[in-house]
Structure formats: C-alpha cells, structure tokens
Amino acid sequence: MQNNKKGKVKYMNVAILGFGVVGSGVAEVISKNADAILENSGIELKLRRILDIRDFENNEFSALMTKNFDDICNDDEIDIVVETMGGINPAFDFVSSCLKKGKHVVTSNKELVAKKGFELLTLARENNVNFLFEASVGGGIPIIRPISRCLAGNRISEIAGILNGTTNFILDKMIVDKMSFEDALKLAQENGFAERDPSADVDGHDACRKICILASLAFGHHVYPDGVYTEGISKITLKDVEDAGKLGYVIKLIARTKMLESGKIMIMVSPALVKKESILAGVNGVFNACLVRGDATGDILMYGKGAGKLATASAVVGDVIDCAANNEKRKFFGWDAPKENFIEEHENTETALFLRFDKTGIEEELRGVLPVAELTESDGETLVITGLGIEKELMKAIGTVSVKPDSVIRVTDY
Ligand code: HSE
C-alpha cells in the first residue's frame, strides 16, 4: 500500500448502474479527476463495471460495460455501487440486492429516495453499509450533508427552496424574455435539464420528491410524496407574471416545509409570489437555492447548479469518497419510519394570496370580506395581496365575492 500526505492510500472499486447523463458524468469525474480525488482524500477510485442495457460503441469505458446486473452484484471486489438509472423499477431491486451483498450504495435518484428511502436506509443499517444520496436534492449543491451534519446542533424549523431547475428556467424565460411556457419548456429540454417525462418537472413532482427528502431528514420521519399537496407551473400565464411584477413580486415554484406548533408539519409545492428583493427572487435559470431556518444559525441559504451532468456527478462522487472513507463502518444517517397524522392539510395552514379580478370597482366589497394587505386597480383589473389567513378561510371568503378571481396564487414571505 502506498502512502500520500493523508496517510495510507485506500483503493476502492466502483460500479455504476445506468450510463445516462449523470452516470456518464460520474464516470468522467472519477476518471478525469482521479489525481485530485487521491490528493484530496487519499482514496484511489477504480471504475470496474458499468451497467446499461444500451450499446455504447467507441467510448473510453466500453470495456467496462455490461448488460447483466449479476456481473456487478456478484462481484465481491466491487465496494461501492452508484445508482443513476432513475425511477423505481428496477433501481429499487438492484439497490436492495447490492446493500444485502454488503456494498455501499450512492444514488442521485430522488424518486427512489423519496419513495423508498426508509426501507433502503433500514437495509443499509442491517447490512452495516452506507446508503448516501447527496445528489438527489439540489444537483451539485451540498444540501443533504449540511442539514444532517453541519446543522445537527440546531432545531430546524423550516426549509424552503427552488428545487427544480427546469421550472425555474421556464419561469425565468417567461419573466425576462417574455417567452411562452411551451417555448421555454422546449429550450429546457434541449439543454438537458428536464426529466425524461417533463411533467415530473412541470407538475411539481420532482420538487415534491426533493422537499420530501429534506423534510424526512430535518424532521426525522419518512414523508412520502403522495401525501404532499403539489401544484406545478402549467397554469401560470404571462399575465400572472406581469401582474405579479407590477406589485413588486416574481413567481417561483417554491417547495416548502415547516414544523408547526402542533407537532405536525406543513409541506407543499406550489407556485408562489416572492418579493423582488427576496434572496429567492434572484435565483435564475437552472440554479437552485435552499433556505434552511435553524434555531441557532438563523437562515442559511445554499445556492448553486441544481441540475446538469457534471454538477450532479460531483455530488455523487463526493458520496462515493465518503463511503470509501467510512468503508468499515456505517454512518449515523437517515430517518425513522413514517408517523401517522404527521402532515397538516395545506388548507389548514396560514398563507397570503395574490388575487386578480378582471374587474374594477370591487375594492369595498373585497375589503369587507378579506384581510387586504395591498390593492391596486388599473387597466380594468383589480390586483390584491391578502393579509395572512388560514387558506381555507381565505378561499371561503373569496367565494362570497360577487366576481370570481381570474387568478389565485399563494404569496410567501421568504
Ligand atoms: N429535472 C431536474 C431539474 C433535474 O430540472 O431540477 C435535477 O434533479
């Protein structure tokens, strides 16, 4: 065994499941940055196998390719398996089998972690190996490790963020370039940010999976996506964006969770108005930002590239190095089983609302039934920001107004 400045060099064999955008990025980072990885960590990573059902000719990793999962699962020389296939099937079975074989697993698969995280963390604990997923939230931005380690001395009360690069890119194009929703989505797909099925981005499911992972980590119990109110951006129009702008706001897809006094949590994903001077308003393009509110630290903002081949691969390789450094032991990491009645219905939580009525002359009526924080009338329309109220009570009051609103969007105070 060789020595370097950090002591004895550790040699670790790595396999990758899925040679798509992220998987090929991981192979590239491990191979191109081998010297830096060794220098930074004292670990030499050797890529041993790559699983993919597709044929890849003339690529520098051709000799490592296999279509047979058993070549990886039954290879006792493989220490760490990277799962970058996406989806639940067959990723869940493959990851479970690798953990049972005593291999550490690192994944970027947010759907897998959000839906099966508790089961896989339990399996990892039973087999004394690590199951790490830094890349599952925020691409290249360190978020999981800071929350679970650096902020472990805090009680976290709230997390809010822009956790989907595709929708942020689309909204940004609509705001800045006045581009239509459809054209902006097409551009995001061409840039390779969007999910294979872009409805996962546009309808908010990707952001929902990510906030579920963060809520599980911060509040200690698995939070499943199907229990979380999720609204995407497909109903947001250029008119909404322009009107929000007139009042000094921008519209962002905000994923948020909060510990309530009742001991339940609020968690939801929806478009929301944020003040133009808010730190989240300045998060543009494919960038993500995650705001964490700790009782000791106050607000912390983590910001960076939330999607993309090498940014995401960087987070995966960081976890691989962590597994290698902790090869003999399992890290204390994860969360407990789901808890019944843990999530408060979103209608029972407090919010402010933005309303647009395509009519003027209704100020008095509106002020009679709603708490009004801001109201302007122009160009034949009335724009309102309500005061804070329980969502279902605000909606009930809006239902009594003689004119139906043409737009209702939540307003946040981040
Ligand atoms: N489609 C995702 C996004 C990729 O746009 O954020 C990163 O998870």
Side-chain angles (χ1 to χ4, degrees), residues 53-117:
I53 48 169
R54 296 165 293 180
D55 289 313
F56 294 89
E57 280 159 28
N58 303 325
N59 105 32
E60 65 174 299
F61 304 106
S62 301
L64 306 180
M65 303 300 300
T66 177
K67 293 182 182 180
N68 184 358
F69 172 64
D70 290 342
D71 288 345
I72 290 172
C73 194
N74 295 333
D75 183 344
D76 292 338
E77 296 296 310
I78 292 174
D79 310 289
I80 303 164
V81 175
V82 169
E83 185 276 307
T84 47
M85 309 172 76
I88 299 295
N89 294 312
F92 176 68
D93 289 342
F94 286 0
V95 169
S96 302
S97 302
C98 291
L99 293 170
K100 283 181 195 159
K101 284 273 186 176
K103 300 181 192 306
H104 304 289
V105 175
V106 172
T107 184
S108 60
N109 184 342
K110 48 254 160 149
E111 187 176 3
L112 183 71
V113 181
K115 292 184 179 166
K116 300 285 186 184

Side-chain angles (χ1 to χ4, degrees), residues 110 135-136 139 163-167 193-195 201 206 210 286 288 306-308 312:
K110 48 254 160 149
S136 65
L163 300 180
N164 181 269
T166 300
T167 44
F193 312 140
E195 296 297 299
D201 296 302
D206 179 74
K210 291 166 177 167
V286 74
N288 281 194
T312 310

